[in-house]
Amino acid sequence: MEEQNFDDRVLLLENQLCFPLYAAARRITSLYTPYFKEIGITYTQYIVFMVLWEEKSVTVGHLCSRLFLDSGTVTPVVKKMEKDGYITRERSKEDERVVLLKLTEKGYDMKEKVKNIPAAVGSCVPLEQDEAAELYKLLYKILGNTGE
């Protein structure tokens, strides 16, 4: 066995910032699953809806940027949402390379179905309001955005 020139403690799971972030994100996301399963959407579709409810019309590139996802992840989600009648995809009149996403009436109607989910999930998270606010701020700091 080779002798190592570094401190093995750097490789302990308990010393990794990435692991509790990953595990906490999975835990929080899993809290949404029963709600989304009932209405037939995924978490990724939910966050796409949120961007479109806010911005009305976005390009695929802008959506990817807002969600910190790549187009390889977003494109199949968008195609499924279009197939399910939630959104339309159309080429920009100014630049045909650009695809614009817009909600349909059915997409806007989804807002009513999910409006109580954030509070329901939030009540399952064991953080006080000030702790949640601080965590939010720190996570957006990691993402390189103020989050405000």
Side-chain angles (χ1 to χ4, degrees), residues 23-58:
R26 287 183 44 86
R27 168 132 340 132
I28 296 294
T29 304
S30 74
L31 294 172
Y32 286 91
T33 301
Y35 300 103
F36 294 155
K37 196 171 193 175
E38 187 175 308
I39 56 177
I41 66 170
T42 64
Y43 181 79
T44 308
Q45 288 174 322
Y46 175 65
I47 60 178
V48 168
F49 276 123
M50 287 194 291
V51 171
L52 287 168
W53 291 326
E54 179 183 341
E55 299 194 34
K56 311 298 182 239
S57 175
V58 297

mmCIF file of all heavy atoms in Angstrom, residues 23-58:
data_model
loop_
_atom_site.group_PDB
_atom_site.id
_atom_site.type_symbol
_atom_site.label_atom_id
_atom_site.label_comp_id
_atom_site.label_asym_id
_atom_site.label_seq_id
_atom_site.Cartn_x
_atom_site.Cartn_y
_atom_site.Cartn_z
ATOM 1 N N ALA A 23 -27.621 15.876 0.379
ATOM 2 C CA ALA A 23 -28.610 15.092 1.126
ATOM 3 C C ALA A 23 -29.804 15.946 1.541
ATOM 4 O O ALA A 23 -30.956 15.499 1.458
ATOM 5 C CB ALA A 23 -27.950 14.446 2.354
ATOM 6 N N ALA A 24 -29.549 17.184 1.968
ATOM 7 C CA ALA A 24 -30.648 18.074 2.361
ATOM 8 C C ALA A 24 -31.510 18.424 1.147
ATOM 9 O O ALA A 24 -32.746 18.448 1.243
ATOM 10 C CB ALA A 24 -30.100 19.336 3.017
ATOM 11 N N ALA A 25 -30.886 18.685 0.014
ATOM 12 C CA ALA A 25 -31.650 18.991 -1.203
ATOM 13 C C ALA A 25 -32.532 17.807 -1.587
ATOM 14 O O ALA A 25 -33.708 17.986 -1.934
ATOM 15 C CB ALA A 25 -30.703 19.351 -2.346
ATOM 16 N N ARG A 26 -31.991 16.614 -1.509
ATOM 17 C CA ARG A 26 -32.789 15.414 -1.826
ATOM 18 C C ARG A 26 -33.944 15.257 -0.832
ATOM 19 O O ARG A 26 -35.055 14.924 -1.218
ATOM 20 C CB ARG A 26 -31.909 14.167 -1.823
ATOM 21 C CG ARG A 26 -31.001 14.094 -3.039
ATOM 22 C CD ARG A 26 -30.169 12.823 -3.087
ATOM 23 N NE ARG A 26 -30.893 11.607 -2.757
ATOM 24 C CZ ARG A 26 -31.591 10.878 -3.628
ATOM 25 N NH1 ARG A 26 -31.671 11.233 -4.878
ATOM 26 N NH2 ARG A 26 -32.194 9.772 -3.238
ATOM 27 N N ARG A 27 -33.686 15.501 0.436
ATOM 28 C CA ARG A 27 -34.732 15.373 1.452
ATOM 29 C C ARG A 27 -35.850 16.384 1.211
ATOM 30 O O ARG A 27 -37.024 16.045 1.229
ATOM 31 C CB ARG A 27 -34.157 15.540 2.850
ATOM 32 C CG ARG A 27 -35.268 15.693 3.876
ATOM 33 C CD ARG A 27 -35.267 14.896 5.131
ATOM 34 N NE ARG A 27 -34.510 13.713 5.220
ATOM 35 C CZ ARG A 27 -33.691 13.436 6.248
ATOM 36 N NH1 ARG A 27 -33.539 14.299 7.220
ATOM 37 N NH2 ARG A 27 -33.057 12.300 6.293
ATOM 38 N N ILE A 28 -35.489 17.630 0.996
ATOM 39 C CA ILE A 28 -36.493 18.671 0.766
ATOM 40 C C ILE A 28 -37.297 18.356 -0.497
ATOM 41 O O ILE A 28 -38.528 18.415 -0.491
ATOM 42 C CB ILE A 28 -35.842 20.070 0.648
ATOM 43 C CG1 ILE A 28 -35.159 20.477 1.955
ATOM 44 C CG2 ILE A 28 -36.865 21.112 0.211
ATOM 45 C CD1 ILE A 28 -36.080 20.692 3.124
ATOM 46 N N THR A 29 -36.606 18.020 -1.566
ATOM 47 C CA THR A 29 -37.291 17.709 -2.817
ATOM 48 C C THR A 29 -38.233 16.526 -2.648
ATOM 49 O O THR A 29 -39.347 16.523 -3.187
ATOM 50 C CB THR A 29 -36.265 17.432 -3.932
ATOM 51 O OG1 THR A 29 -35.393 18.562 -4.048
ATOM 52 C CG2 THR A 29 -36.940 17.207 -5.272
ATOM 53 N N SER A 30 -37.828 15.538 -1.867
ATOM 54 C CA SER A 30 -38.687 14.359 -1.663
ATOM 55 C C SER A 30 -39.967 14.699 -0.901
ATOM 56 O O SER A 30 -40.974 14.004 -1.034
ATOM 57 C CB SER A 30 -37.924 13.246 -0.941
ATOM 58 O OG SER A 30 -37.751 13.553 0.434
ATOM 59 N N LEU A 31 -39.944 15.768 -0.106
ATOM 60 C CA LEU A 31 -41.151 16.193 0.604
ATOM 61 C C LEU A 31 -42.246 16.642 -0.371
ATOM 62 O O LEU A 31 -43.431 16.554 -0.065
ATOM 63 C CB LEU A 31 -40.836 17.321 1.587
ATOM 64 C CG LEU A 31 -39.932 16.963 2.771
ATOM 65 C CD1 LEU A 31 -39.561 18.219 3.551
ATOM 66 C CD2 LEU A 31 -40.598 15.943 3.674
ATOM 67 N N TYR A 32 -41.841 17.121 -1.529
ATOM 68 C CA TYR A 32 -42.792 17.568 -2.555
ATOM 69 C C TYR A 32 -43.437 16.393 -3.303
ATOM 70 O O TYR A 32 -44.533 16.536 -3.844
ATOM 71 C CB TYR A 32 -42.088 18.447 -3.589
ATOM 72 C CG TYR A 32 -41.742 19.819 -3.128
ATOM 73 C CD1 TYR A 32 -40.518 20.101 -2.534
ATOM 74 C CD2 TYR A 32 -42.626 20.879 -3.310
ATOM 75 C CE1 TYR A 32 -40.182 21.375 -2.126
ATOM 76 C CE2 TYR A 32 -42.307 22.161 -2.901
ATOM 77 C CZ TYR A 32 -41.079 22.402 -2.306
ATOM 78 O OH TYR A 32 -40.767 23.671 -1.901
ATOM 79 N N THR A 33 -42.745 15.268 -3.358
ATOM 80 C CA THR A 33 -43.155 14.151 -4.212
ATOM 81 C C THR A 33 -44.610 13.724 -4.057
ATOM 82 O O THR A 33 -45.311 13.586 -5.060
ATOM 83 C CB THR A 33 -42.196 12.954 -4.024
ATOM 84 O OG1 THR A 33 -40.874 13.392 -4.350
ATOM 85 C CG2 THR A 33 -42.584 11.783 -4.906
ATOM 86 N N PRO A 34 -45.124 13.505 -2.845
ATOM 87 C CA PRO A 34 -46.523 13.064 -2.752
ATOM 88 C C PRO A 34 -47.509 14.080 -3.322
ATOM 89 O O PRO A 34 -48.501 13.695 -3.947
ATOM 90 C CB PRO A 34 -46.763 12.883 -1.252
ATOM 91 C CG PRO A 34 -45.471 13.079 -0.564
ATOM 92 C CD PRO A 34 -44.476 13.579 -1.548
ATOM 93 N N TYR A 35 -47.221 15.351 -3.145
ATOM 94 C CA TYR A 35 -48.102 16.401 -3.680
ATOM 95 C C TYR A 35 -48.074 16.406 -5.209
ATOM 96 O O TYR A 35 -49.112 16.512 -5.860
ATOM 97 C CB TYR A 35 -47.691 17.779 -3.150
ATOM 98 C CG TYR A 35 -47.759 17.885 -1.653
ATOM 99 C CD1 TYR A 35 -46.609 17.825 -0.878
ATOM 100 C CD2 TYR A 35 -48.978 18.040 -1.008
ATOM 101 C CE1 TYR A 35 -46.670 17.922 0.510
ATOM 102 C CE2 TYR A 35 -49.053 18.144 0.379
ATOM 103 C CZ TYR A 35 -47.895 18.078 1.121
ATOM 104 O OH TYR A 35 -47.960 18.175 2.491
ATOM 105 N N PHE A 36 -46.874 16.305 -5.754
ATOM 106 C CA PHE A 36 -46.726 16.348 -7.201
ATOM 107 C C PHE A 36 -47.263 15.084 -7.862
ATOM 108 O O PHE A 36 -47.827 15.146 -8.948
ATOM 109 C CB PHE A 36 -45.268 16.563 -7.594
ATOM 110 C CG PHE A 36 -44.728 17.909 -7.196
ATOM 111 C CD1 PHE A 36 -43.381 18.094 -6.996
ATOM 112 C CD2 PHE A 36 -45.563 19.004 -7.017
ATOM 113 C CE1 PHE A 36 -42.872 19.327 -6.637
ATOM 114 C CE2 PHE A 36 -45.072 20.246 -6.653
ATOM 115 C CZ PHE A 36 -43.719 20.409 -6.468
ATOM 116 N N LYS A 37 -47.076 13.971 -7.191
ATOM 117 C CA LYS A 37 -47.585 12.710 -7.737
ATOM 118 C C LYS A 37 -49.110 12.780 -7.893
ATOM 119 O O LYS A 37 -49.668 12.328 -8.890
ATOM 120 C CB LYS A 37 -47.190 11.553 -6.815
ATOM 121 C CG LYS A 37 -47.318 10.202 -7.427
ATOM 122 C CD LYS A 37 -46.699 9.145 -6.532
ATOM 123 C CE LYS A 37 -46.564 7.872 -7.317
ATOM 124 N NZ LYS A 37 -45.870 6.838 -6.578
ATOM 125 N N GLU A 38 -49.755 13.382 -6.914
ATOM 126 C CA GLU A 38 -51.214 13.512 -6.921
ATOM 127 C C GLU A 38 -51.716 14.333 -8.114
ATOM 128 O O GLU A 38 -52.775 14.051 -8.664
ATOM 129 C CB GLU A 38 -51.666 14.172 -5.608
ATOM 130 C CG GLU A 38 -53.155 14.208 -5.408
ATOM 131 C CD GLU A 38 -53.518 14.771 -4.043
ATOM 132 O OE1 GLU A 38 -52.973 14.269 -3.030
ATOM 133 O OE2 GLU A 38 -54.325 15.719 -3.998
ATOM 134 N N ILE A 39 -50.946 15.348 -8.525
ATOM 135 C CA ILE A 39 -51.387 16.188 -9.643
ATOM 136 C C ILE A 39 -50.655 15.875 -10.951
ATOM 137 O O ILE A 39 -50.913 16.495 -11.974
ATOM 138 C CB ILE A 39 -51.276 17.696 -9.306
ATOM 139 C CG1 ILE A 39 -49.867 18.069 -8.893
ATOM 140 C CG2 ILE A 39 -52.297 18.081 -8.257
ATOM 141 C CD1 ILE A 39 -49.675 19.547 -8.612
ATOM 142 N N GLY A 40 -49.730 14.921 -10.907
ATOM 143 C CA GLY A 40 -49.104 14.442 -12.130
ATOM 144 C C GLY A 40 -47.980 15.289 -12.700
ATOM 145 O O GLY A 40 -47.790 15.334 -13.915
ATOM 146 N N ILE A 41 -47.223 15.951 -11.827
ATOM 147 C CA ILE A 41 -46.061 16.699 -12.301
ATOM 148 C C ILE A 41 -44.831 16.291 -11.496
ATOM 149 O O ILE A 41 -44.939 15.605 -10.482
ATOM 150 C CB ILE A 41 -46.268 18.235 -12.217
ATOM 151 C CG1 ILE A 41 -46.391 18.715 -10.771
ATOM 152 C CG2 ILE A 41 -47.460 18.669 -13.067
ATOM 153 C CD1 ILE A 41 -46.356 20.239 -10.611
ATOM 154 N N THR A 42 -43.670 16.738 -11.955
ATOM 155 C CA THR A 42 -42.407 16.478 -11.259
ATOM 156 C C THR A 42 -41.915 17.772 -10.618
ATOM 157 O O THR A 42 -42.405 18.865 -10.929
ATOM 158 C CB THR A 42 -41.334 15.989 -12.240
ATOM 159 O OG1 THR A 42 -41.050 17.039 -13.175
ATOM 160 C CG2 THR A 42 -41.783 14.723 -12.972
ATOM 161 N N TYR A 43 -40.911 17.637 -9.765
ATOM 162 C CA TYR A 43 -40.318 18.826 -9.153
ATOM 163 C C TYR A 43 -39.744 19.757 -10.219
ATOM 164 O O TYR A 43 -39.926 20.976 -10.161
ATOM 165 C CB TYR A 43 -39.227 18.446 -8.136
ATOM 166 C CG TYR A 43 -38.632 19.654 -7.487
ATOM 167 C CD1 TYR A 43 -39.298 20.312 -6.461
ATOM 168 C CD2 TYR A 43 -37.426 20.181 -7.932
ATOM 169 C CE1 TYR A 43 -38.776 21.458 -5.883
ATOM 170 C CE2 TYR A 43 -36.895 21.323 -7.362
ATOM 171 C CZ TYR A 43 -37.572 21.964 -6.337
ATOM 172 O OH TYR A 43 -37.056 23.104 -5.779
ATOM 173 N N THR A 44 -39.068 19.181 -11.212
ATOM 174 C CA THR A 44 -38.477 20.011 -12.258
ATOM 175 C C THR A 44 -39.557 20.762 -13.039
ATOM 176 O O THR A 44 -39.399 21.943 -13.355
ATOM 177 C CB THR A 44 -37.597 19.168 -13.195
ATOM 178 O OG1 THR A 44 -36.671 18.414 -12.412
ATOM 179 C CG2 THR A 44 -36.821 20.052 -14.155
ATOM 180 N N GLN A 45 -40.669 20.108 -13.321
ATOM 181 C CA GLN A 45 -41.770 20.805 -13.980
ATOM 182 C C GLN A 45 -42.288 21.943 -13.092
ATOM 183 O O GLN A 45 -42.593 23.035 -13.584
ATOM 184 C CB GLN A 45 -42.907 19.838 -14.297
ATOM 185 C CG GLN A 45 -42.573 18.882 -15.422
ATOM 186 C CD GLN A 45 -43.647 17.833 -15.622
ATOM 187 O OE1 GLN A 45 -44.237 17.344 -14.657
ATOM 188 N NE2 GLN A 45 -43.888 17.476 -16.869
ATOM 189 N N TYR A 46 -42.368 21.694 -11.809
ATOM 190 C CA TYR A 46 -42.833 22.705 -10.855
ATOM 191 C C TYR A 46 -41.982 23.963 -10.914
ATOM 192 O O TYR A 46 -42.500 25.073 -10.974
ATOM 193 C CB TYR A 46 -42.819 22.091 -9.453
ATOM 194 C CG TYR A 46 -43.162 23.008 -8.311
ATOM 195 C CD1 TYR A 46 -44.420 23.576 -8.189
ATOM 196 C CD2 TYR A 46 -42.228 23.262 -7.310
ATOM 197 C CE1 TYR A 46 -44.739 24.398 -7.108
ATOM 198 C CE2 TYR A 46 -42.533 24.062 -6.230
ATOM 199 C CZ TYR A 46 -43.787 24.634 -6.133
ATOM 200 O OH TYR A 46 -44.099 25.434 -5.067
ATOM 201 N N ILE A 47 -40.662 23.798 -10.934
ATOM 202 C CA ILE A 47 -39.813 24.983 -10.954
ATOM 203 C C ILE A 47 -39.861 25.678 -12.314
ATOM 204 O O ILE A 47 -39.712 26.896 -12.389
ATOM 205 C CB ILE A 47 -38.373 24.704 -10.452
ATOM 206 C CG1 ILE A 47 -37.652 23.665 -11.297
ATOM 207 C CG2 ILE A 47 -38.403 24.307 -8.974
ATOM 208 C CD1 ILE A 47 -36.198 23.398 -10.875
ATOM 209 N N VAL A 48 -40.105 24.916 -13.383
ATOM 210 C CA VAL A 48 -40.329 25.538 -14.696
ATOM 211 C C VAL A 48 -41.608 26.377 -14.641
ATOM 212 O O VAL A 48 -41.632 27.522 -15.099
ATOM 213 C CB VAL A 48 -40.404 24.484 -15.823
ATOM 214 C CG1 VAL A 48 -40.933 25.101 -17.124
ATOM 215 C CG2 VAL A 48 -39.043 23.830 -16.048
ATOM 216 N N PHE A 49 -42.675 25.803 -14.077
ATOM 217 C CA PHE A 49 -43.918 26.559 -13.916
ATOM 218 C C PHE A 49 -43.671 27.861 -13.166
ATOM 219 O O PHE A 49 -44.165 28.919 -13.558
ATOM 220 C CB PHE A 49 -44.967 25.748 -13.135
ATOM 221 C CG PHE A 49 -45.783 24.795 -13.948
ATOM 222 C CD1 PHE A 49 -45.804 23.451 -13.615
ATOM 223 C CD2 PHE A 49 -46.565 25.227 -15.012
ATOM 224 C CE1 PHE A 49 -46.582 22.552 -14.343
ATOM 225 C CE2 PHE A 49 -47.349 24.348 -15.740
ATOM 226 C CZ PHE A 49 -47.355 22.999 -15.406
ATOM 227 N N MET A 50 -42.917 27.800 -12.073
ATOM 228 C CA MET A 50 -42.699 28.999 -11.265
ATOM 229 C C MET A 50 -42.035 30.108 -12.067
ATOM 230 O O MET A 50 -42.438 31.275 -11.966
ATOM 231 C CB MET A 50 -41.908 28.668 -10.005
ATOM 232 C CG MET A 50 -42.737 27.907 -8.984
ATOM 233 S SD MET A 50 -41.994 27.842 -7.352
ATOM 234 C CE MET A 50 -40.602 26.793 -7.645
ATOM 235 N N VAL A 51 -41.049 29.763 -12.872
ATOM 236 C CA VAL A 51 -40.391 30.776 -13.706
ATOM 237 C C VAL A 51 -41.387 31.351 -14.708
ATOM 238 O O VAL A 51 -41.468 32.562 -14.891
ATOM 239 C CB VAL A 51 -39.151 30.195 -14.420
ATOM 240 C CG1 VAL A 51 -38.603 31.182 -15.447
ATOM 241 C CG2 VAL A 51 -38.071 29.818 -13.412
ATOM 242 N N LEU A 52 -42.175 30.492 -15.336
ATOM 243 C CA LEU A 52 -43.136 30.970 -16.338
ATOM 244 C C LEU A 52 -44.277 31.769 -15.712
ATOM 245 O O LEU A 52 -44.753 32.736 -16.319
ATOM 246 C CB LEU A 52 -43.668 29.804 -17.164
ATOM 247 C CG LEU A 52 -42.651 29.238 -18.163
ATOM 248 C CD1 LEU A 52 -43.124 27.928 -18.741
ATOM 249 C CD2 LEU A 52 -42.360 30.247 -19.257
ATOM 250 N N TRP A 53 -44.734 31.409 -14.532
ATOM 251 C CA TRP A 53 -45.759 32.223 -13.858
ATOM 252 C C TRP A 53 -45.231 33.624 -13.579
ATOM 253 O O TRP A 53 -45.946 34.604 -13.651
ATOM 254 C CB TRP A 53 -46.218 31.573 -12.561
ATOM 255 C CG TRP A 53 -47.002 30.311 -12.742
ATOM 256 C CD1 TRP A 53 -47.874 30.013 -13.751
ATOM 257 C CD2 TRP A 53 -46.991 29.171 -11.894
ATOM 258 N NE1 TRP A 53 -48.393 28.752 -13.578
ATOM 259 C CE2 TRP A 53 -47.874 28.215 -12.440
ATOM 260 C CE3 TRP A 53 -46.319 28.859 -10.723
ATOM 261 C CZ2 TRP A 53 -48.104 26.978 -11.852
ATOM 262 C CZ3 TRP A 53 -46.541 27.628 -10.136
ATOM 263 C CH2 TRP A 53 -47.435 26.697 -10.698
ATOM 264 N N GLU A 54 -43.958 33.692 -13.264
ATOM 265 C CA GLU A 54 -43.333 34.977 -12.946
ATOM 266 C C GLU A 54 -43.043 35.800 -14.201
ATOM 267 O O GLU A 54 -43.293 37.007 -14.233
ATOM 268 C CB GLU A 54 -42.030 34.724 -12.184
ATOM 269 C CG GLU A 54 -41.268 35.951 -11.809
ATOM 270 C CD GLU A 54 -39.948 35.642 -11.118
ATOM 271 O OE1 GLU A 54 -39.771 34.519 -10.603
ATOM 272 O OE2 GLU A 54 -39.095 36.543 -11.108
ATOM 273 N N GLU A 55 -42.508 35.165 -15.236
ATOM 274 C CA GLU A 55 -41.995 35.908 -16.384
ATOM 275 C C GLU A 55 -42.862 35.830 -17.639
ATOM 276 O O GLU A 55 -42.568 36.518 -18.608
ATOM 277 C CB GLU A 55 -40.571 35.435 -16.692
ATOM 278 C CG GLU A 55 -39.632 35.686 -15.521
ATOM 279 C CD GLU A 55 -38.186 35.546 -15.898
ATOM 280 O OE1 GLU A 55 -37.819 35.884 -17.040
ATOM 281 O OE2 GLU A 55 -37.416 35.083 -15.049
ATOM 282 N N LYS A 56 -43.858 35.001 -17.643
ATOM 283 C CA LYS A 56 -44.826 34.855 -18.749
ATOM 284 C C LYS A 56 -44.253 34.197 -19.996
ATOM 285 O O LYS A 56 -44.844 33.305 -20.552
ATOM 286 C CB LYS A 56 -45.482 36.184 -19.143
ATOM 287 C CG LYS A 56 -46.041 36.995 -17.989
ATOM 288 C CD LYS A 56 -47.141 36.268 -17.253
ATOM 289 C CE LYS A 56 -47.711 37.140 -16.141
ATOM 290 N NZ LYS A 56 -47.599 36.574 -14.825
ATOM 291 N N SER A 57 -43.110 34.644 -20.480
ATOM 292 C CA SER A 57 -42.483 34.093 -21.686
ATOM 293 C C SER A 57 -40.977 34.129 -21.481
ATOM 294 O O SER A 57 -40.429 35.154 -21.087
ATOM 295 C CB SER A 57 -42.876 34.930 -22.902
ATOM 296 O OG SER A 57 -42.185 34.488 -24.045
ATOM 297 N N VAL A 58 -40.315 32.997 -21.728
ATOM 298 C CA VAL A 58 -38.863 32.938 -21.559
ATOM 299 C C VAL A 58 -38.248 32.102 -22.673
ATOM 300 O O VAL A 58 -38.908 31.256 -23.263
ATOM 301 C CB VAL A 58 -38.447 32.341 -20.196
ATOM 302 C CG1 VAL A 58 -38.913 33.187 -19.038
ATOM 303 C CG2 VAL A 58 -38.913 30.907 -20.037
#
